[in-house]
Amino acid sequence: MMTVSTAIAPTSTSTATEPQTARADLRRAFTGVWVPLVTPFRDGALDVAALEKLVLMLLRQGVDGFVVCGTTGEAATQSESEQLTQLRLVRALAGNVPVIMGVSGADTYSMSRWIERIEAHGASGLLISPPQYVRPSQEGIRLHYEALAAATSLPIVLYNIPYRTGVNMELPTIKALAANPQFVAIKESGGGNLAQLSGLIEQTPLRVLSGEDHLLFVSACMGGHGGITAAAHIRPDLHRRMLAHVAAGNLPAARQLASALSPLISLLFSEPNPGPLKAALEIMGVMRNELRLPMTPVSPALYRQLEDTLPAILGL
């Protein structure tokens, strides 16, 4: 196992003095298959060795970017110290692969201070959802994001996930934010709202990344730019190959891969994420099937289904 130094150099970020065209070029990096990393635990503590093993496995199979401490990473159960430890480790391992940090909350001021700390620890960018629980107006959402952008020079990926935040980011709000090139992309998890997905692709300059794993193929066919997909912990190379087939116009081959991946994706989201995913990774020998409350391990029946389904996917 390789030894990872926690002393890392910050990644290059844009500044307010750079031309807008240079900052707009940042958008080109936010495409392809991004993995929102799970957080391995062992006996209640962060399992650094398992995280290292996971990241190296994914790098070998090919990923376009990592998200640290998103929903799949159980960030809500972790201390700031644990989150920054993960960021430093993944950033040190990832080389030229970008590593962005998930950020969520309901207090704009506190989030601004937290973002400043994240930037100092070398993140390549930020994935930020609207304020949780408080359900602000669209104007409140816009001003929230603008205040957070003013606190950092990092590129920001918007994260629309109304079934967790309680509020949908509407297309006019997103278009207003996209006028600032610091907002480079959006993870769209609108629950299958294809009209909004189409509007994002056709009416904004943002890179549109599917946040609904089962819609990655559909989004790509509509002109989307990839996805931030938890299912890509398992054979990310197949997800990338599917996107490459779509880009080349080979829809039958892309559809065949999408169909092959569909049973696994259904299982991975048949119980609360990331429980099924951690079970699958344990079956693969990558990490323990351990979560922090209120998240719980999957049922024995689902565990057996994963044991039966994984060999076919791993053997493709």
Side-chain angles (χ1 to χ4, degrees), residues 219-230:
S219 175
C221 289
M222 293 174 66
H225 304 93
I228 298 178
T229 166

Side-chain angles (χ1 to χ4, degrees), residues 8-25:
I8 63 172
T11 55
S12 175
T13 59
S14 59
T15 68
T17 59
E18 289 179 313
Q20 284 202 349
T21 52
R23 294 184 60 183
D25 287 343

Side-chain angles (χ1 to χ4, degrees), residues 79-102:
S79 68
E80 290 186 358
S81 175
E82 287 174 320
Q83 293 186 51
L84 292 176
T85 294
Q86 288 180 79
L87 174 60
R88 289 194 299 269
L89 181 127
V90 177
R91 180 64 272 166
L93 291 169
N96 293 327
V97 175
V99 180
I100 66 175
M101 186 81 159

Side-chain angles (χ1 to χ4, degrees), residues 9-275:
T11 55
S12 175
T13 59
S14 59
T15 68
T17 59
E18 289 179 313
Q20 284 202 349
T21 52
R23 294 184 60 183
D25 287 343
L26 287 170
R27 290 179 171 143
R28 285 199 284 267
F30 290 84
T31 60
V33 174
W34 288 60
V35 175
L37 288 165
V38 299
T39 299
F41 298 120
R42 178 177 289 270
D43 300 326
L46 179 65
D47 188 344
V48 172
L51 179 59
E52 180 178 317
K53 183 177 182 179
L54 173 64
V55 170
L56 292 176
M57 178 190 78
L58 293 171
L59 287 169
R60 285 193 299 270
Q61 295 186 28
V63 295
D64 295 292
F66 291 111
V67 179
V68 176
C69 295
T71 306
T72 303
E74 298 173 81
T77 70
Q78 296 176 45
S79 68
E80 290 186 358
S81 175
E82 287 174 320
Q83 293 186 51
L84 292 176
T85 294
Q86 288 180 79
L87 174 60
R88 289 194 299 269
L89 181 127
V90 177
R91 180 64 272 166
L93 291 169
N96 293 327
V97 175
V99 180
I100 66 175
M101 186 81 159
V103 181
S104 61
D107 174 20
T108 308
Y109 176 81
S110 297
M111 289 177 67
S112 296
R113 304 289 77 77
W114 174 227
I115 283 170
E116 290 173 355
R117 294 188 63 197
I118 291 170
E119 181 168 9
H121 283 76
S124 308
L126 303 166
L127 174 68
I128 305 179
S129 60
Q132 301 172 349
Y133 183 74
V134 295
R135 301 184 68 188
S137 66
Q138 294 297 305
E139 178 76 354
I141 292 172
R142 181 183 64 79
L143 292 173
H144 173 77
Y145 274 109
E146 289 177 352
L148 297 180
T152 181
S153 63
L154 292 175
I156 294 172
V157 179
L158 305 171
Y159 185 10
N160 187 38
I161 184 164
Y163 57 85
R164 290 192 184 274
T165 62
V167 62
N168 181 54
M169 290 179 67
E170 296 176 3
L171 184 58
T173 302
I174 297 167
K175 290 171 69 174
L177 290 170
N180 177 353
Q182 190 174 358
F183 296 105
V184 294
I186 182 166
K187 179 182 180 182
E188 174 58 22
S189 298
N193 185 341
L194 296 184
Q196 177 153 311
L197 178 61
S198 176
L200 291 172
I201 293 168
E202 296 175 3
Q203 300 178 40
T204 80
L206 299 171
R207 297 305 187 211
V208 179
L209 302 171
S210 175
E212 306 283 351
D213 292 42
H214 65 287
L215 292 179
L216 179 61
F217 170 67
V218 172
S219 175
C221 289
M222 293 174 66
H225 304 93
I228 298 178
T229 166
H233 279 83
I234 316 297
R235 293 296 305 270
D237 57 312
L238 297 180
H239 294 77
R240 294 183 81 232
R241 195 185 308 168
M242 180 180 67
L243 293 180
H245 283 318
V246 173
N250 190 352
L251 295 186
R255 190 180 299 109
Q256 184 177 18
L257 275 175
S259 296
L261 290 167
S262 181
L264 177 63
I265 293 172
S266 295
L267 288 178
L268 291 177
F269 291 93
S270 62
E271 293 185 17
N273 178 52

